[in-house]
Amino acid sequence: MRTMRSWFRETTGGLPATFWYLWSGTLINRLGSFVLVFLAIYLTQERGFSASQAGLVIGLWGVGGAVGTTAGGTLADRWGRRPTLLTAHLGAAAMMLGLGLARDIWAVALGALLLGMFAEAARPAFGAMMIDVVPVQDRLRAFSLNYWAINLGFACAAILAGFAAQANYLLLFVVDAGTMVITALIIFTRVPETRHTREAKGLTAAAAAPRGALRTILSDRIYLGFVALNLLAALVYLQHISMLPIAMGDDGLSPATYGSVIALNGVLIVVGQLFVPRLIRGRSRSHVLALAAVAMGAGFGLTAFAGTVWLYGLTVLIWTIGEMLNSPSNSTLIAELSPADLRGRYQGVFSLSWQIAGASAPILGGLVREHIGNAALWLGCAAIGVVTAVAHLVSGPARERRADALRRAGDAMAPVGSARPSVPQPVEATAA
């Protein structure tokens, strides 16, 4: 019991109150995140859209998300974190209700586009605020706790939404909008503005925006190759939101069943997060990422042969293992491949790969499924997983050499005798 209390204090202790208000908002928001999980089922079963039309609508959500992420990051720095978060959440709540009431395809498509824009605009402001209020030494566990809240909320929402959908689909949109409003109220009443002006920091505009930043990123083939591999993995992974519910519906399984099956993903991550980092510590990152790609490809590939609840559950278990292996290795690589003065822009480019996948995965999945067949879609996902795994093995050593070079450059620039934050040591053999 004493060991458990000690672990709990080490995990949660010492974090500022503002963080916990943000954490609470995340959990509440995710507990009501019904619509995206069931949007494909709603569009095909309730609205009568085809799989390709449903994919187009979900893809427009991703297009709006790409715009929102870019605009939200700019507004968070220029306007402030708090007003950006409030505008994004209240705007998303209004768009959520509008999408639930829309009937024509053009109205549904426009609603999805605007909803994606408002909902995703909150992400960069939220991340910036977390960094603002949490000390450097506590950020790893703070973001881990937030990730835990996201997956706990997602697991509960997937189950609850399945039953809510059987009662009334409009209820999904109303509850989702309500949780956004509650989150906005928490921010309005409890969360202060955390942005510091450049003048307060003594920074100039030139220091905040290094010249040639875009040229540097576009010429960084090693990093762009890493981003491209993440895009491939995301194209496979995001099929669980768009095409998986449609496939399960074709097999006669109810929305509640889909909710229970997909909830396994969140439950497994909540539990597995306690063990996976320790299991992969000291292992080759390229090998871990390759294994993750194979596991995700295999899990989605086996969906071609699934037709019962337990088989679908098994496929979710397999690709979730891949997701858990992929996430921590990705996080450390992003940090180590980003030059210190361009770290925010490098993070933005990586995030954009998810938005591109969010826009294209449902459209491509719907077209493949409708014109080639369900089996072709899932076996294609398996093939992409194998290609991604091979690419990670081939490109891994070059990535580690680049990370090591950036680490040495950072050491050389540090003043003699100055205290520097510890830098994670490479876990990949950097053989020539």
Side-chain angles (χ1 to χ4, degrees):
M1 182 63 71
R2 182 178 299 174
T3 302
M4 182 63 69
R5 284 198 299 266
S6 176
W7 172 84
F8 184 78
R9 281 196 303 269
E10 290 176 2
T11 303
T12 63
L15 294 171
T18 300
F19 163 78
W20 289 112
Y21 289 126
L22 292 171
W23 184 90
S24 300
T26 295
L27 182 60
I28 291 171
N29 205 350
R30 288 291 173 165
L31 283 171
S33 58
F34 293 171
V35 170
L36 186 57
V37 178
F38 282 87
L39 187 56
I41 295 176
Y42 167 75
L43 294 174
T44 54
Q45 295 186 7
E46 184 75 4
R47 298 269 68 86
F49 294 170
S50 67
S52 59
Q53 287 176 321
L56 175 62
V57 170
I58 299 173
L60 286 173
W61 183 312
V63 172
V67 175
T69 297
T70 305
T74 302
L75 289 173
D77 287 336
R78 295 185 177 180
W79 188 24
R81 322 314 195 193
R82 189 168 179 265
T84 301
L85 283 172
L86 288 172
T87 302
H89 280 98
L90 292 175
M95 294 302 104
M96 183 68 72
L97 291 176
L99 181 60
L101 296 172
R103 291 295 178 265
D104 296 332
I105 179 65
W106 68 267
V108 172
L110 179 61
L113 177 71
L114 294 175
L115 177 57
M117 186 176 68
F118 277 103
E120 296 303 321
R123 288 185 184 274
F126 183 90
M129 185 171 273
M130 289 265 288
I131 294 172
D132 290 342
V133 302
V134 178
V136 174
Q137 67 272 17
D138 294 327
R139 285 175 188 165
L140 178 60
R141 60 193 180 100
F143 277 100
S144 296
L145 285 167
N146 195 63
Y147 184 61
W148 186 87
I150 288 171
N151 283 282
L152 177 62
F154 172 78
C156 295
I159 296 173
L160 295 174
F163 293 106
Q166 289 183 322
N168 187 340
Y169 272 106
L170 183 59
L171 184 62
L172 299 179
F173 296 88
V174 173
V175 173
D176 207 336
T179 58
M180 292 176 180
V181 172
I182 293 173
T183 302
L185 287 174
I186 291 174
I187 295 168
F188 181 74
T189 58
R190 296 296 182 181
V191 178
E193 176 57 59
T194 62
R195 179 176 66 102
H196 302 290
T197 63
R198 286 173 181 159
E199 290 76 13
K201 289 185 174 182
L203 297 177
T204 65
R211 291 183 179 180
L214 180 60
R215 188 185 312 125
T216 299
I217 296 173
L218 294 179
S219 63
D220 192 341
R221 291 181 295 176
I222 291 176
Y223 187 76
L224 292 180
F226 175 61
V227 172
L229 292 181
N230 184 73
L231 174 60
L232 288 177
L235 287 172
V236 173
Y237 173 74
L238 292 176
Q239 298 302 326
H240 82 279
I241 294 176
S242 54
M243 295 300 110
L244 180 60
I246 295 176
M248 292 183 67
D250 288 347
D251 286 328
L253 300 176
S254 68
T257 301
Y258 166 72
S260 300
V261 168
I262 204 64
L264 286 174
N265 173 255
V267 172
L268 289 169
I269 291 175
V270 169
V271 175
Q273 226 185 349
L274 302 175
F275 308 103
V276 169
R278 190 170 293 181
L279 289 175
I280 65 175
R281 186 180 301 159
R283 310 247 178 215
S284 162
R285 276 189 295 214
S286 65
H287 291 174
V288 172
L289 288 169
L291 179 59
V294 170
M296 289 179 65
F300 282 99
L302 287 173
T303 308
F305 308 102
T308 60
V309 175
W310 75 268
L311 275 176
Y312 277 112
L314 178 62
T315 66
V316 172
L317 170 64
I318 294 171
W319 58 255
T320 298
I321 291 173
E323 180 186 357
M324 288 190 293
L325 292 173
N326 184 75
S327 181
S329 297
N330 257 355
S331 298
T332 57
L333 266 174
I334 296 166
E336 293 187 37
L337 291 174
S338 306
D341 57 345
L342 298 176
R343 192 163 292 154
R345 292 165 178 80
Y346 270 63
Q347 296 268 356
V349 170
F350 185 82
S351 297
L352 191 59
S353 68
W354 279 101
Q355 300 303 329
I356 293 172
S360 55
I363 297 174
L364 293 175
L367 290 174
V368 171
R369 192 176 185 278
E370 194 167 306
H371 297 288
I372 305 179
N374 186 63
L377 169 64
W378 303 116
L379 294 177
C381 288
I384 292 175
V386 172
V387 170
T388 304
V390 172
H392 273 303
L393 294 176
V394 172
S395 61
R399 286 198 301 257
E400 296 299 336
R401 287 194 294 270
R402 169 62 61 80
D404 188 54
L406 288 172
R407 192 181 303 110
R408 288 198 304 269
D411 292 344
M413 291 176 64
V416 177
S418 65
R420 290 184 297 103
S422 60
V423 178
Q425 295 302 306
V427 293
E428 170 85 29
T430 55

